[in-house]
Amino acid sequence: MIVLVTGASVGFGAATSRMFVAKGYRVIGAARRAEKLNALAAELGENFLPLKLDVSDRPVVKAALEALPKEWSDIDVLVNNAGLALGLEPAHRASFEDWLTMIETNVTGLAHLTHLLLPGMVERGRGHIVNVGSIAGTYPYPGGNVYGATKAFVKQFSLNLRADLAGTPLRVTNIEPGMVGDTEFSLVRFKGDTARVEKNYEHVRYLVPDDIARSILFAVEQPPYVNINRIEIMPIAQTFSPMTIRRDA
Ligand code: NDP
Ligand code: 8X3
């Protein structure tokens, strides 16, 4: 089975690539940083194929998929994991460039890869799209503005794909993690502010990338008649806030 994992250079994508290769799958790992992918290839051997691309660069993505060696081209599982949050400012102070980058990566990039690979999956009569959404797509929080909205897109897109694929054997799953540490997610969100990153994870028993990789593997390894629609997963340490009430008096 061939699995394409986007955002494979670090974080969930690297953990997922390792776990799937260990289970005997062949993994194409895509990301922008070739040196990280090459290091993973050196570690994982011939069942890992590094693929340097930026998911938001549509011509590059199309050409990279078309140029895959024949023995790697029939992708069975697409793990749409590449994504990012930029900033935690309220909407009226956020950078519009950051908003565009999130939309182009988390929404357009994910939709484009899906659009390119889905027809072949339908034609071959097998395939699984695993999207990496977030609890931010369900629960709003201050500063989540466009990031949360991109993940709400991912959730609804996943469910709508299921509706369109009725009558085919294809599967679609949305993985919706809460707080996960040991990745670059917060370093990217806080633009290299390591003190802020450390504070964010201080005294919290957060999830780790292997927890997410295991959830993805769980969804993929179900019997063929089972579709896991969504997996929402949080650390025990994380739960729901009360609604904010603004009191004027
Ligand atoms: P990381 O920042 O550690 O990893 C993100 C990965 O995405 C990297 O491999 C990065 O590689 C890749 N990536 C980012 N932008 C692009 C791009 N334009 N083209 C190709 N690859 C890209 O984050 P996580 O592993 O924590 O997050 C992975 C996914 O999980 C994201 O979609 C994130 O939104 C989601 N998520 C994360 C949570 C968390 O708490 N960590 C919780 C819920 C969801 P490179 O820079 O080499 O291109
Ligand atoms: C990442 C989780 O809560 O920081 O998607 O948005 S959160």
Side-chain angles (χ1 to χ4, degrees):
M1 263 235 259
I2 300 176
V3 184
L4 169 59
V5 179
T6 68
S9 55
V10 292
F12 303 176
T16 302
S17 300
R18 286 191 177 97
M19 201 173 280
F20 273 77
V21 168
K23 285 276 182 183
Y25 295 83
R26 293 161 70 211
V27 174
I28 305 167
R32 294 166 299 184
R33 283 172 293 176
E35 69 287 359
K36 296 247 178 223
L37 294 175
N38 291 338
L40 202 53
E43 175 191 329
L44 296 179
E46 62 183 19
N47 283 337
F48 180 83
L49 181 72
L51 190 65
K52 178 180 157 47
L53 56 76
D54 178 336
V55 293
S56 66
D57 189 334
R58 295 206 297 281
V60 163
V61 170
K62 191 164 184 293
L65 292 183
E66 283 170 0
L68 280 173
K70 180 75 197 88
E71 64 276 17
W72 286 91
S73 62
D74 288 350
I75 292 163
D76 300 294
V77 180
L78 168 63
V79 182
N80 270 319
N81 162 74
L84 77 173
L86 289 170
L88 197 60
E89 290 79 24
H92 52 284
R93 288 208 297 272
S95 146
F96 189 65
E97 283 307 312
D98 285 352
W99 282 8
L100 279 181
T101 303
M102 288 188 276
I103 293 166
E104 284 163 5
T105 310
N106 304 359
V107 174
T108 313
L110 177 145
H112 186 222
L113 271 146
T114 307
H115 190 261
L116 288 173
L117 293 181
L118 208 48
M121 288 180 173
V122 171
E123 203 176 297
R124 290 188 295 277
R126 63 170 204 274
H128 194 158
I129 309 284
V130 182
N131 291 327
V132 179
S134 168
I135 58 163
T138 300
Y139 309 104
Y141 60 84
N145 44 69
V146 164
Y147 176 67
T150 65
K151 295 301 188 177
F153 170 91
V154 173
K155 178 165 77 173
Q156 197 62 16
F157 182 52
S158 306
L159 296 173
N160 279 340
L161 284 175
R162 287 271 297 125
D164 285 353
L165 292 167
T168 78
L170 268 66
R171 303 194 283 188
V172 185
T173 300
N174 194 34
I175 307 287
E176 303 169 14
M179 187 185 214
V180 190
D182 299 346
T183 80
E184 293 184 1
F185 178 81
S186 292
L187 196 67
V188 171
R189 170 170 250 177
F190 299 133
K191 302 179 179 174
D193 183 342
T194 49
R196 200 167 171 197
V197 173
E198 275 166 30
K199 198 156 178 45
N200 191 45
Y201 296 103
E202 206 174 45
H203 308 308
V204 180
R205 182 74 166 92
Y206 46 75
L207 301 178
V208 293
D210 271 357
D211 296 318
I212 307 311
R214 210 170 46 249
S215 303
I216 295 171
L217 190 68
F218 170 79
V220 168
E221 293 209 325
Q222 292 302 307
Y225 63 91
V226 176
N227 192 93
I228 305 291
N229 294 339
R230 300 171 52 212
I231 297 180
E232 185 181 290
I233 170 170
M234 291 180 184
I236 291 280
Q238 183 175 35
T239 178
F240 312 100
S241 333
M243 293 281 195
T244 300
I245 309 285
R246 186 186 144 80
R247 298 178 198 278
D248 291 326

